Amino acid sequence: MNHLSAQTIQHLMRKHHKTIRGIAQEWNLTLKRVRYVRLHGVEGEVFVMDWLEILTGDPGPMPSWASRRD
């Protein structure tokens, strides 16, 4: 998944009883950043994974590139 829309983020915040202030405090983010993501969504596989964990508490599956050992 490469994109989370603003509508999806708002839905997940409601479903999991997350507030802007609560997310900012728990994850050491600024209120401005949380509001921006809530309004515009987020793009990029790593950012999507981070925000899904922030919103649901589930880190999800490990991406294939993270498990490679060189």
PDB file of all heavy atoms in Angstrom, residues 28-45:
ATOM      1  N   ASN A  28       5.220  11.660  19.794  1.00  0.00           N
ATOM      2  CA  ASN A  28       6.160  12.776  19.754  1.00  0.00           C
ATOM      3  C   ASN A  28       6.124  13.509  18.398  1.00  0.00           C
ATOM      4  O   ASN A  28       7.163  13.771  17.780  1.00  0.00           O
ATOM      5  CB  ASN A  28       7.581  12.296  20.073  1.00  0.00           C
ATOM      6  CG  ASN A  28       8.479  13.436  20.473  1.00  0.00           C
ATOM      7  OD1 ASN A  28       8.021  14.443  21.009  1.00  0.00           O
ATOM      8  ND2 ASN A  28       9.766  13.290  20.213  1.00  0.00           N
ATOM      9  N   LEU A  29       4.920  13.799  17.941  1.00  0.00           N
ATOM     10  CA  LEU A  29       4.703  14.549  16.712  1.00  0.00           C
ATOM     11  C   LEU A  29       4.129  15.915  17.079  1.00  0.00           C
ATOM     12  O   LEU A  29       3.579  16.092  18.155  1.00  0.00           O
ATOM     13  CB  LEU A  29       3.703  13.821  15.804  1.00  0.00           C
ATOM     14  CG  LEU A  29       4.108  12.431  15.321  1.00  0.00           C
ATOM     15  CD1 LEU A  29       2.924  11.727  14.690  1.00  0.00           C
ATOM     16  CD2 LEU A  29       5.263  12.529  14.351  1.00  0.00           C
ATOM     17  N   THR A  30       4.228  16.850  16.165  1.00  0.00           N
ATOM     18  CA  THR A  30       3.599  18.148  16.412  1.00  0.00           C
ATOM     19  C   THR A  30       2.118  18.064  16.067  1.00  0.00           C
ATOM     20  O   THR A  30       1.702  17.256  15.224  1.00  0.00           O
ATOM     21  CB  THR A  30       4.251  19.257  15.565  1.00  0.00           C
ATOM     22  OG1 THR A  30       4.031  18.968  14.178  1.00  0.00           O
ATOM     23  CG2 THR A  30       5.749  19.370  15.844  1.00  0.00           C
ATOM     24  N   LEU A  31       1.342  18.903  16.730  1.00  0.00           N
ATOM     25  CA  LEU A  31      -0.090  18.981  16.399  1.00  0.00           C
ATOM     26  C   LEU A  31      -0.260  19.372  14.936  1.00  0.00           C
ATOM     27  O   LEU A  31      -1.153  18.867  14.249  1.00  0.00           O
ATOM     28  CB  LEU A  31      -0.788  19.993  17.300  1.00  0.00           C
ATOM     29  CG  LEU A  31      -0.884  19.630  18.779  1.00  0.00           C
ATOM     30  CD1 LEU A  31      -1.406  20.816  19.581  1.00  0.00           C
ATOM     31  CD2 LEU A  31      -1.762  18.424  18.970  1.00  0.00           C
ATOM     32  N   LYS A  32       0.610  20.245  14.457  1.00  0.00           N
ATOM     33  CA  LYS A  32       0.550  20.704  13.072  1.00  0.00           C
ATOM     34  C   LYS A  32       0.723  19.526  12.100  1.00  0.00           C
ATOM     35  O   LYS A  32       0.004  19.428  11.099  1.00  0.00           O
ATOM     36  CB  LYS A  32       1.636  21.748  12.838  1.00  0.00           C
ATOM     37  CG  LYS A  32       1.624  22.373  11.483  1.00  0.00           C
ATOM     38  CD  LYS A  32       2.674  23.467  11.387  1.00  0.00           C
ATOM     39  CE  LYS A  32       2.642  24.142  10.044  1.00  0.00           C
ATOM     40  NZ  LYS A  32       3.612  25.255   9.974  1.00  0.00           N
ATOM     41  N   ARG A  33       1.659  18.628  12.393  1.00  0.00           N
ATOM     42  CA  ARG A  33       1.896  17.476  11.519  1.00  0.00           C
ATOM     43  C   ARG A  33       0.691  16.530  11.509  1.00  0.00           C
ATOM     44  O   ARG A  33       0.267  16.047  10.457  1.00  0.00           O
ATOM     45  CB  ARG A  33       3.155  16.715  11.960  1.00  0.00           C
ATOM     46  CG  ARG A  33       3.416  15.457  11.185  1.00  0.00           C
ATOM     47  CD  ARG A  33       3.663  15.722   9.709  1.00  0.00           C
ATOM     48  NE  ARG A  33       3.906  14.465   9.001  1.00  0.00           N
ATOM     49  CZ  ARG A  33       3.720  14.307   7.711  1.00  0.00           C
ATOM     50  NH1 ARG A  33       3.329  15.307   6.962  1.00  0.00           N
ATOM     51  NH2 ARG A  33       3.950  13.148   7.144  1.00  0.00           N
ATOM     52  N   VAL A  34       0.131  16.265  12.674  1.00  0.00           N
ATOM     53  CA  VAL A  34      -1.026  15.369  12.751  1.00  0.00           C
ATOM     54  C   VAL A  34      -2.206  15.979  11.998  1.00  0.00           C
ATOM     55  O   VAL A  34      -2.893  15.300  11.239  1.00  0.00           O
ATOM     56  CB  VAL A  34      -1.403  15.056  14.214  1.00  0.00           C
ATOM     57  CG1 VAL A  34      -2.632  14.154  14.271  1.00  0.00           C
ATOM     58  CG2 VAL A  34      -0.237  14.406  14.947  1.00  0.00           C
ATOM     59  N   ARG A  35      -2.426  17.272  12.175  1.00  0.00           N
ATOM     60  CA  ARG A  35      -3.522  17.938  11.450  1.00  0.00           C
ATOM     61  C   ARG A  35      -3.295  17.896   9.938  1.00  0.00           C
ATOM     62  O   ARG A  35      -4.226  17.687   9.163  1.00  0.00           O
ATOM     63  CB  ARG A  35      -3.656  19.383  11.913  1.00  0.00           C
ATOM     64  CG  ARG A  35      -4.260  19.511  13.275  1.00  0.00           C
ATOM     65  CD  ARG A  35      -4.494  20.975  13.639  1.00  0.00           C
ATOM     66  NE  ARG A  35      -4.939  21.084  14.996  1.00  0.00           N
ATOM     67  CZ  ARG A  35      -4.244  21.663  15.979  1.00  0.00           C
ATOM     68  NH1 ARG A  35      -3.082  22.223  15.731  1.00  0.00           N
ATOM     69  NH2 ARG A  35      -4.721  21.695  17.201  1.00  0.00           N
ATOM     70  N   TYR A  36      -2.050  18.092   9.516  1.00  0.00           N
ATOM     71  CA  TYR A  36      -1.725  18.069   8.094  1.00  0.00           C
ATOM     72  C   TYR A  36      -2.038  16.689   7.494  1.00  0.00           C
ATOM     73  O   TYR A  36      -2.672  16.576   6.450  1.00  0.00           O
ATOM     74  CB  TYR A  36      -0.247  18.418   7.870  1.00  0.00           C
ATOM     75  CG  TYR A  36       0.131  18.425   6.411  1.00  0.00           C
ATOM     76  CD1 TYR A  36      -0.034  19.572   5.646  1.00  0.00           C
ATOM     77  CD2 TYR A  36       0.613  17.283   5.788  1.00  0.00           C
ATOM     78  CE1 TYR A  36       0.285  19.579   4.299  1.00  0.00           C
ATOM     79  CE2 TYR A  36       0.922  17.277   4.449  1.00  0.00           C
ATOM     80  CZ  TYR A  36       0.760  18.428   3.703  1.00  0.00           C
ATOM     81  OH  TYR A  36       1.066  18.424   2.368  1.00  0.00           O
ATOM     82  N   VAL A  37      -1.584  15.643   8.176  1.00  0.00           N
ATOM     83  CA  VAL A  37      -1.830  14.282   7.684  1.00  0.00           C
ATOM     84  C   VAL A  37      -3.325  13.983   7.674  1.00  0.00           C
ATOM     85  O   VAL A  37      -3.839  13.375   6.742  1.00  0.00           O
ATOM     86  CB  VAL A  37      -1.051  13.254   8.534  1.00  0.00           C
ATOM     87  CG1 VAL A  37      -1.499  11.834   8.243  1.00  0.00           C
ATOM     88  CG2 VAL A  37       0.445  13.401   8.279  1.00  0.00           C
ATOM     89  N   ARG A  38      -4.025  14.428   8.699  1.00  0.00           N
ATOM     90  CA  ARG A  38      -5.482  14.218   8.760  1.00  0.00           C
ATOM     91  C   ARG A  38      -6.188  14.924   7.598  1.00  0.00           C
ATOM     92  O   ARG A  38      -7.181  14.426   7.078  1.00  0.00           O
ATOM     93  CB  ARG A  38      -5.994  14.726  10.104  1.00  0.00           C
ATOM     94  CG  ARG A  38      -7.447  14.453  10.336  1.00  0.00           C
ATOM     95  CD  ARG A  38      -7.834  14.878  11.747  1.00  0.00           C
ATOM     96  NE  ARG A  38      -9.250  15.070  11.866  1.00  0.00           N
ATOM     97  CZ  ARG A  38     -10.127  14.117  12.167  1.00  0.00           C
ATOM     98  NH1 ARG A  38      -9.706  12.899  12.390  1.00  0.00           N
ATOM     99  NH2 ARG A  38     -11.405  14.379  12.254  1.00  0.00           N
ATOM    100  N   LEU A  39      -5.662  16.051   7.172  1.00  0.00           N
ATOM    101  CA  LEU A  39      -6.276  16.829   6.102  1.00  0.00           C
ATOM    102  C   LEU A  39      -5.853  16.373   4.700  1.00  0.00           C
ATOM    103  O   LEU A  39      -6.655  16.383   3.772  1.00  0.00           O
ATOM    104  CB  LEU A  39      -5.928  18.311   6.285  1.00  0.00           C
ATOM    105  CG  LEU A  39      -6.562  19.307   5.346  1.00  0.00           C
ATOM    106  CD1 LEU A  39      -8.083  19.292   5.478  1.00  0.00           C
ATOM    107  CD2 LEU A  39      -6.032  20.696   5.626  1.00  0.00           C
ATOM    108  N   HIS A  40      -4.590  15.930   4.561  1.00  0.00           N
ATOM    109  CA  HIS A  40      -4.047  15.627   3.233  1.00  0.00           C
ATOM    110  C   HIS A  40      -3.737  14.158   2.975  1.00  0.00           C
ATOM    111  O   HIS A  40      -3.452  13.780   1.840  1.00  0.00           O
ATOM    112  CB  HIS A  40      -2.766  16.428   2.997  1.00  0.00           C
ATOM    113  CG  HIS A  40      -2.984  17.905   2.999  1.00  0.00           C
ATOM    114  ND1 HIS A  40      -3.575  18.576   1.959  1.00  0.00           N
ATOM    115  CD2 HIS A  40      -2.725  18.837   3.941  1.00  0.00           C
ATOM    116  CE1 HIS A  40      -3.653  19.858   2.238  1.00  0.00           C
ATOM    117  NE2 HIS A  40      -3.145  20.044   3.452  1.00  0.00           N
ATOM    118  N   GLY A  41      -3.710  13.344   4.009  1.00  0.00           N
ATOM    119  CA  GLY A  41      -3.325  11.948   3.828  1.00  0.00           C
ATOM    120  C   GLY A  41      -1.814  11.807   3.808  1.00  0.00           C
ATOM    121  O   GLY A  41      -1.092  12.745   4.091  1.00  0.00           O
ATOM    122  N   VAL A  42      -1.337  10.611   3.472  1.00  0.00           N
ATOM    123  CA  VAL A  42       0.106  10.369   3.421  1.00  0.00           C
ATOM    124  C   VAL A  42       0.416   9.423   2.275  1.00  0.00           C
ATOM    125  O   VAL A  42      -0.383   8.562   1.929  1.00  0.00           O
ATOM    126  CB  VAL A  42       0.684   9.856   4.767  1.00  0.00           C
ATOM    127  CG1 VAL A  42      -0.256   9.661   5.800  1.00  0.00           C
ATOM    128  CG2 VAL A  42       1.580   8.755   4.682  1.00  0.00           C
ATOM    129  N   GLU A  43       1.593   9.604   1.695  1.00  0.00           N
ATOM    130  CA  GLU A  43       2.055   8.774   0.582  1.00  0.00           C
ATOM    131  C   GLU A  43       3.413   8.191   0.909  1.00  0.00           C
ATOM    132  O   GLU A  43       4.193   8.795   1.637  1.00  0.00           O
ATOM    133  CB  GLU A  43       2.161   9.603  -0.700  1.00  0.00           C
ATOM    134  CG  GLU A  43       0.816  10.015  -1.250  1.00  0.00           C
ATOM    135  CD  GLU A  43       0.934  10.650  -2.625  1.00  0.00           C
ATOM    136  OE1 GLU A  43       1.880  10.299  -3.363  1.00  0.00           O
ATOM    137  OE2 GLU A  43       0.090  11.484  -2.933  1.00  0.00           O
ATOM    138  N   GLY A  44       3.672   7.034   0.354  1.00  0.00           N
ATOM    139  CA  GLY A  44       4.944   6.357   0.559  1.00  0.00           C
ATOM    140  C   GLY A  44       4.756   5.156   1.472  1.00  0.00           C
ATOM    141  O   GLY A  44       4.110   5.251   2.513  1.00  0.00           O
ATOM    142  N   GLU A  45       5.335   4.045   1.072  1.00  0.00           N
ATOM    143  CA  GLU A  45       5.116   2.784   1.789  1.00  0.00           C
ATOM    144  C   GLU A  45       5.505   2.872   3.267  1.00  0.00           C
ATOM    145  O   GLU A  45       4.768   2.426   4.140  1.00  0.00           O
ATOM    146  CB  GLU A  45       5.904   1.660   1.114  1.00  0.00           C
ATOM    147  CG  GLU A  45       5.642   0.309   1.710  1.00  0.00           C
ATOM    148  CD  GLU A  45       6.373  -0.803   0.977  1.00  0.00           C
ATOM    149  OE1 GLU A  45       6.996  -0.546  -0.057  1.00  0.00           O
ATOM    150  OE2 GLU A  45       6.314  -1.933   1.471  1.00  0.00           O
TER     151      GLU A  45
END
